[in-house]
Amino acid sequence: MAGYLEKIEELAGQARQQIARAVSLEQLEQWRLNLLGRKGQVTAILHDLGQVSPGERPLVGKQANELKNEIGRLLEERRAALEKEQLERAAARSAIDVTLPGLRPWTGSIHPLNRTLSRVNEVLYSMGFSLAEGPEIEDEFHNFDALNTPADHPARDEHDTFFLEGGLLLRSHTSPVQIRHMQANPPPVRIIAPGRVFRRDTPDATHSPIFHQVEGLYVDENVTFGDLKYTLEQFALRLFGPDTTLRFRPSFFPFTEPSAEVDCSCIFCKRKGCRICKGSGWLEILGCGMVDPSVFEAVGYDPERWTGFAFGMGIDRICLLVHSIDDIRLFLESDTGFLSQF
Ligand code: DAH
């Protein structure tokens, strides 16, 4: 019955290898069932002992039992080792290294133009103006004719306009919103109209084909230039601070008469003269004037009864000044290095 002893020997070698190489507790359990289970290979040998000749039975029995014990021990050792590995891996996964620098969560920020726009709007809302909006694609009537700028008017050339098909154009200023609002609403009127405007300008540090304006319109009976001055002065005080002063210079716009350009005392040097105001002490911030009677006629308001003032300012320019930004093109470039500073 040398066959049994050889089989035991072979099984022993195989079992030692399998157990040593088991990579998981599930696999180890599989090997245990294969060897020591009810239908396991070692169990089978012990079952067959009755068939071994009585002379050899003690030796075969002894070897088989020793194998069973050894496998039991090896299984136990390997199980302990695998469990330890599993615990160590779990611990490594959940370990917190308190010496690592923290991760700053990336947050977006408000675009500087939106910041400036919100601030301007807030101040004007607080003074009783409310929001009006109009389309970016306009027609010649609203963008020019109704604003007292007929086709042959030289002021049209100054707005290098993007013309579209069918008499349409990209609005070159926010003033057409005045016309649309008056056509749709009876006086009195107190509105502001913020929005994008478009001009065929070659981009450089101070010119962009897309920029932003806020338009204001105030219509009532007996409105005077004094009302205009007071309103804009209050606006500037609230926007730029208590020691701000304004300077009104006579100017020309087709839709206002008289018209003025308004300078604000330099927010950097307080009129001492600096690089930003080019030594003048003043910064130009808006255009304004008393609504021309022909504009009232174009929208069906009685020019004998109604009076009003209007103003328009460039938000990009104010934003550049307030933040000392030296290139208007930065506003449209979506450069997160620039934007994350705000
Ligand atoms: N629409 C003018 C422009 O874009 C700005 C402007 C000037 C608007 C005077 C006004 C105003 O309402 O009264 O150049």
Side-chain angles (χ1 to χ4, degrees), residues 23 31 63 68 104 123 145 190 238 252 307 318 336:
V23 293
W31 296 139
Q63 298 279 40
K68 185 184 159 190
R104 181 190 289 259
V123 169
D145 299 292
R190 282 156 209 211
R238 294 186 204 190
F252 174 81
T307 46
I318 295 177
T336 51

Side-chain angles (χ1 to χ4, degrees), residues 147 159 172-176 178 197 199 211 213-217 252-253 255-256 259-260 286-291 309-313:
L147 288 162
H159 292 210
S172 59
H173 52 174
T174 43
S175 303
Q178 291 186 27
V197 302
R199 288 186 201 175
F211 57 104
Q213 292 184 330
V214 171
E215 189 82 13
L217 177 67
F252 174 81
F253 299 102
F255 36 89
T256 44
S259 304
L286 55 82
C288 66
M290 303 306 291
V291 179
F309 62 77
F311 56 90
M313 69 190 93

Side-chain angles (χ1 to χ4, degrees), residues 161-234:
T161 311
F162 286 109
F163 287 98
L164 308 172
E165 281 172 15
L168 298 175
L169 46 82
L170 295 181
R171 68 178 177 195
S172 59
H173 52 174
T174 43
S175 303
V177 185
Q178 291 186 27
I179 303 300
R180 289 189 179 273
H181 187 85
M182 287 191 283
Q183 284 178 321
N185 300 277
V189 171
R190 282 156 209 211
I191 52 142
I192 53 169
R196 280 201 296 187
V197 302
F198 309 85
R199 288 186 201 175
R200 291 173 32 144
D201 271 327
T202 308
D204 63 24
T206 55
H207 294 86
S208 165
I210 303 176
F211 57 104
H212 305 76
Q213 292 184 330
V214 171
E215 189 82 13
L217 177 67
Y218 187 110
V219 179
D220 209 327
E221 290 171 325
N222 305 316
V223 180
T224 66
F225 202 92
D227 296 320
L228 168 60
K229 263 191 96 172
Y230 177 77
T231 303
L232 292 179
E233 272 163 5
Q234 287 303 309

Side-chain angles (χ1 to χ4, degrees), residues 58-118:
L59 183 59
V60 174
K62 180 170 173 270
Q63 298 279 40
N65 267 313
E66 275 179 13
L67 178 59
K68 185 184 159 190
N69 292 339
E70 185 192 345
I71 289 175
R73 208 183 60 244
L74 289 176
L75 282 168
E76 203 39 56
E77 283 170 10
R78 186 71 192 130
R79 197 170 61 82
L82 283 172
E83 274 173 1
K84 189 166 167 245
E85 267 174 39
Q86 214 173 49
L87 278 176
E88 281 170 358
R89 245 178 300 157
R93 251 190 319 234
S94 67
I96 295 171
D97 182 348
V98 292
T99 65
L100 280 176
L103 287 179
R104 181 190 289 259
W106 196 87
T107 51
S109 57
I110 308 280
H111 193 287
L113 278 178
N114 268 332
R115 257 172 215 274
T116 303
L117 184 61
S118 303

Side-chain angles (χ1 to χ4, degrees), residues 11-44 67-68 70-76 78-79 82:
L11 205 51
Q14 196 185 312
R16 286 182 197 121
Q17 270 195 16
Q18 284 176 340
I19 293 169
R21 288 182 191 166
V23 293
S24 68
L25 292 168
E26 292 73 26
Q27 206 179 23
L28 196 65
E29 175 61 8
Q30 203 53 54
W31 296 139
R32 190 188 69 75
L33 289 172
N34 275 350
L35 294 162
L36 305 182
R38 217 151 44 80
K39 294 185 177 152
Q41 297 179 79
V42 179
T43 316
L67 178 59
K68 185 184 159 190
E70 185 192 345
I71 289 175
R73 208 183 60 244
L74 289 176
L75 282 168
E76 203 39 56
R78 186 71 192 130
R79 197 170 61 82
L82 283 172

